Amino acid sequence: MSGRLARGGRVVAALLAAVACQTAPARAAGPLPDPATRATGVVTWAASADLMGEGTAGQGYRMIVHTSVGGSDLRVRFTNAFGDRPLTLAGVHAGLREAGAELRPGGNRPVTFGGAPTVTVPAGEVAWSDPLPGSWPAGADLVVSLRTPDAAGPASGHWMAMQTSYTGQGDHTAEESGAHWTRTTGSWWYLDAVSVRPADRATGAVVVLGDSITDGRLSTTDLNRRWPDYLARRLGTLGTTVKGVANEGISGNRILADGAGQSALHRLDRDVLSQPGVRTLFLFESVNDIKAHTGVTAADLAAGYREIARRAHAAGVCVVAATIGPFKGWPEWDPAAEDVRQDVNRFLRGSRDFDAVTDFDRILRSPNDPTRILPFFDGGDHLHPDDKGMRALAEAVGTGSLECGR
């Protein structure tokens, strides 16, 4: 491996320049928001924004998200990251779910922005709401309703939510009943983060930067069985100060190249470093870089990993990296891709660039053929774990590694 990785230091500058200048379907994320516009507290839920197609004027959305850490002063963040014009949101409400699209009685409350009932988010920007007083529990289904009175042009959101949400026409966001929310969507629209203020000020969060495995593909829809969900439930039972878990996975995502979402390098600031209370970045990526057969080498990926770690450390955030799981049997697997995967995993296991390394490859691989996922954990496509595999990944994370003293 040393021969293949020796040129890593020489390619860093060229690699990062190429990433910054490449042609992509979405522009790179801008700088971190001004501190005055950033939420305090701790992120309790998040989902990476991507380009969603055209926005719909007059559309109502009732979105279901699952909290990880409880607290008071709930705030929601809306994104127009991929819009080409200002986006106005109206009638925003939040409360806890009873069942389906129905809210608990007396709990659907209006959300304001600088005291106003509407907010206009500039193209390419995000906006946090005012704090919503009251107690918001961990492990609860939060319902966020909104209208887009004049939406047009590219919409921003998260395509593969693995969660059923609801849409409707007309001004029904203040209603607790689900009677007018008769259509469903498998995506989250315009909403990309929620924060709370935990009772213990020492509480922090881990943000997971990943691809479709982190996004939960082939886990059971509507049951919160993505591996970060299992991790959140586990952290909630332990004495760790890291309680919040933000899932920033995008199906098909890569470290180096835009495509299925902006690359990890491009979205690091918006999706990770801008999140309130982030203590640790958990990085689990690069299988898509490898299986795309674009000529990416282990040295290229090592340079990308080092750049992400450098930027996170400069922001005072710890970095835990995970090894790449096996995927023989997936159509894009071949021996050359396997060689790169093995080289990257050797780099990760031996690198001093991270505060800790979690060996997901060791957890997922079959003892009979280490290039294949263990059949017991295989979701059926030889790449993505099923619910049992997702749980095994969460249990493999050393909780102490999430609380480094950086």
Side-chain angles (χ1 to χ4, degrees):
M1 180 193 68
S2 58
R4 298 187 185 187
L5 288 180
R7 69 184 183 94
R10 299 194 298 272
V11 303
V12 174
L15 167 67
L16 298 177
V19 169
C21 297
Q22 65 184 297
T23 300
R27 60 182 173 272
L32 291 176
D34 183 271
T37 66
R38 297 170 67 184
T40 54
V42 173
V43 61
T44 186
W45 173 89
S48 298
D50 197 3
L51 184 64
M52 293 284 287
E54 294 292 305
T56 303
Q59 181 71 61
Y61 299 92
R62 177 158 282 185
M63 291 168 290
I64 315 298
V65 303
H66 199 68
T67 62
S68 59
V69 60
S72 60
D73 294 340
L74 180 136
R75 299 179 74 181
V76 293
R77 190 174 84 170
F78 294 103
T79 179
N80 192 22
F82 299 93
D84 61 4
R85 67 201 73 189
L87 168 72
T88 297
L89 305 175
V92 181
H93 281 68
L96 298 178
R97 179 160 76 155
E98 182 71 18
E102 181 182 356
L103 284 91
R104 293 184 188 177
N108 196 20
R109 301 167 59 188
V111 175
T112 59
F113 304 84
T118 64
V119 63
T120 298
V121 188
E125 301 295 332
V126 300
W128 283 99
S129 74
D130 299 331
L132 196 56
S135 179
W136 303 88
D141 283 344
L142 177 71
V143 183
V144 178
S145 306
L146 61 90
R147 287 186 295 112
T148 54
D150 55 4
S156 302
H158 189 84
W159 176 73
M160 194 180 75
M162 304 302 296
Q163 172 67 57
T164 301
S165 291
Y166 304 88
T167 63
Q169 293 291 321
D171 187 3
H172 302 291
T173 59
E175 298 172 3
E176 293 170 350
S177 168
H180 291 100
W181 301 92
T182 56
R183 291 176 295 172
T184 61
T185 176
S187 302
W188 289 305
W189 295 81
Y190 304 111
L191 176 70
D192 78 337
V194 179
S195 74
V196 294
R197 187 185 298 275
D200 184 351
R201 293 187 178 183
T203 301
V206 55
V207 181
V208 183
L209 194 60
D211 49 39
S212 57
I213 297 177
T214 295
D215 212 7
R217 184 176 178 182
L218 297 190
S219 66
T220 304
T221 300
D222 290 333
L223 293 183
N224 300 301
R225 290 183 176 175
R226 314 163 193 85
W227 77 262
D229 297 321
Y230 282 109
L231 178 62
R233 289 190 282 273
R234 183 172 167 227
L235 293 175
T237 67
L238 302 175
T240 174
T241 60
V242 174
K243 298 290 186 185
V245 178
N247 185 337
E248 301 285 9
I250 297 180
S251 183
N253 198 233
R254 305 179 196 175
I255 283 186
L256 302 180
D258 291 351
Q262 293 174 324
S263 69
L265 281 163
H266 274 169
R267 63 192 183 95
L268 178 66
D269 286 353
R270 185 187 63 242
D271 286 354
V272 180
L273 302 183
S274 72
Q275 296 294 352
V278 57
R279 184 85 49 80
T280 301
L281 161 63
F282 193 104
L283 180 58
F284 180 34
E285 288 256 17
S286 77
V287 68
N288 292 306
D289 297 78
I290 294 170
K291 67 185 183 64
H293 296 292
T294 59
V296 169
T297 66
D300 297 333
L301 286 166
Y305 277 103
R306 289 188 177 112
E307 174 65 9
I308 290 172
R310 183 194 65 77
R311 287 165 55 189
H313 286 157
V317 173
C318 303
V319 181
V320 178
T323 54
I324 312 163
F327 65 101
K328 187 176 182 180
W330 178 267
E332 294 166 296
W333 184 93
D334 63 18
E338 180 64 22
D339 286 345
V340 176
R341 184 182 78 90
Q342 295 289 352
D343 283 348
V344 173
N345 282 349
R346 279 190 284 269
F347 157 71
L348 293 172
R349 292 179 182 117
S351 176
R352 296 183 180 180
D353 297 285
F354 315 107
D355 299 283
V357 175
T358 300
D359 201 343
F360 278 174
D361 174 47
R362 184 179 62 82
I363 298 300
L364 291 175
R365 69 194 183 202
S366 169
N368 298 321
D369 183 353
T371 65
R372 291 183 179 271
I373 189 171
L374 186 70
F376 184 70
F377 291 153
D378 192 343
D381 65 3
H382 312 301
L383 171 63
H384 299 91
D386 61 10
D387 292 353
K388 300 182 295 295
M390 294 286 183
R391 184 169 187 168
L393 293 181
E395 291 177 347
V397 177
T399 56
S401 71
L402 305 180
E403 299 197 75
C404 79
R406 186 167 294 277

